Amino acid sequence: MPKAAPSEPYTFGWSVYDASLEYFHTMQEGVLAKANELGINTLINDQKSNSIEMVTGSTDLLRQGINALIIAPYNPLLMQGLVENAKKYSVPVIAIDTGTGGADVDAFIVSDNFGGGILAGEYALDLLKDHGIKSKNFAIINVESTAINASQRGEGFKSVLNEAGYELVAEENGNSDETQAYLVMQNILLDHGDDLGVVFAENGPMALGASKAIGEAGKKGQIMLIGFDAGPSVIEAIKRGDIQGTIAQQPYQMGELGVEIANSIL
């Protein structure tokens, strides 16, 4: 027989990578909206792109007596300890997007990052042809090293461009940050700006940073730029012509699904 409904509303803990970032803010909106729809209370921990905040904040949620933990981890490599701790409280853990670190979570919701990178690569080839760009060189701006799943985007992109005869001349870490990507793109332009066909940034904020550097160098429309995530700021940049394309994820729906799955498990 199905379990009886709880005598009191469930309380879910939501631990978010960084709510100041558009992508994760949208994911948080999905979590809160679905929890409200289902009559579930929500406690929030904002990790603020910090491993310590991730661990201490999520642990504090468990101590507050939550019924389920939904987490988009900043550092998936630290998930093992969190999941083991959650099991002591008999709390299911649902991970979203950034990874599990191999931990035994109850559910993992993630996009096909490698497949998304392939889509970006295929679109890049179309752009290069349509714009008559002759350069056979490309560059990739990577997310932080702990974002193992997101790094597959660049691998997918690279596989398509390499197969088409293009050469990777620069691959640098922008740490998922707009300002760092701006500085990285400046360095890439110094070394390869006169012979560079396309740049792939593995997330949205880095695409925005790269677009600023490309624009300042007078290379807008001469070097193609593709991002990932399709946040509102990136869409506006595409409309302006600062960025030529992006791959869309569905963070709002991912957040909703995390709540639905946790509720189903309980």
Side-chain angles (χ1 to χ4, degrees):
M1 295 180 62
K3 293 182 181 178
S7 57
E8 296 182 1
Y10 289 131
T11 296
F12 287 0
W14 162 237
S15 185
V16 56
Y17 182 111
D18 193 326
S20 71
L21 301 176
E22 278 184 340
Y23 178 78
F24 290 102
H25 179 75
T26 302
M27 186 182 291
Q28 178 162 291
E29 289 180 331
V31 168
L32 298 179
K34 182 56 68 173
N36 182 63
E37 177 187 322
L38 296 176
I40 295 167
N41 299 319
T42 311
L43 301 178
I44 300 173
N45 166 51
D46 189 346
Q47 301 165 31
K48 300 177 181 177
S49 300
N50 183 282
S51 294
I52 295 175
E53 290 286 348
M54 170 188 156
V55 173
T56 58
S58 298
T59 301
D60 186 54
L61 291 176
L62 292 169
R63 289 172 178 161
Q64 291 183 65
I66 58 173
N67 300 106
L69 176 63
I70 305 169
I71 181 170
Y74 170 70
N75 188 346
L77 299 178
L78 299 177
M79 282 290 290
Q80 190 73 44
L82 278 179
V83 171
E84 289 176 359
N85 195 18
K87 288 184 184 300
K88 296 177 183 177
Y89 291 90
S90 299
V91 171
V93 178
I94 290 79
I96 305 181
D97 185 64
T98 43
T100 68
D104 185 22
V105 297
D106 293 86
F108 180 36
I109 301 163
V110 65
S111 301
D112 181 356
N113 287 285
F114 188 84
I118 288 175
L119 288 176
E122 292 171 346
Y123 186 56
L125 295 179
D126 290 340
L127 286 170
L128 291 163
K129 180 180 178 181
D130 292 345
H131 286 76
I133 294 173
K134 303 302 182 184
S135 175
K136 287 288 187 177
N137 293 335
F138 71 100
I140 296 175
I141 303 178
N142 301 126
V143 294
E144 68 275 14
S145 59
T146 55
I148 298 169
N149 288 292
S151 67
Q152 294 175 15
R153 302 166 185 173
E155 293 303 312
F157 185 87
K158 191 187 307 181
S159 69
V160 173
L161 271 291
N162 283 340
E163 186 175 341
Y166 286 78
E167 180 181 356
L168 178 65
V169 294
E171 186 170 12
E172 297 193 31
N173 194 321
N175 203 35
S176 292
D177 180 76
E178 182 173 341
T179 300
Q180 289 190 41
Y182 167 71
L183 298 173
V184 163
M185 191 69 240
Q186 284 184 319
N187 290 334
I188 293 173
L189 289 168
L190 283 174
D191 293 333
H192 307 286
D194 293 331
D195 188 8
L196 186 62
V198 60
V199 177
F200 177 55
E202 289 180 339
N203 78 352
M206 295 194 302
L208 292 168
S211 73
K212 182 180 178 182
I214 290 172
E216 289 178 354
K219 298 290 185 178
K220 178 178 174 179
Q222 300 174 36
I223 297 172
M224 299 294 98
L225 174 61
I226 301 176
F228 208 100
D229 292 340
S233 296
V234 171
I235 297 301
E236 288 303 313
I238 290 174
K239 292 177 180 178
R240 294 193 304 268
D242 296 339
I243 296 173
Q244 282 66 53
T246 187
I247 302 301
Q249 294 198 87
Q250 302 294 334
Y252 189 92
Q253 287 86 343
M254 293 167 82
E256 287 186 312
L257 187 56
V259 174
E260 290 174 353
I261 291 174
N263 190 56
S264 295
I265 289 171
L266 292 170

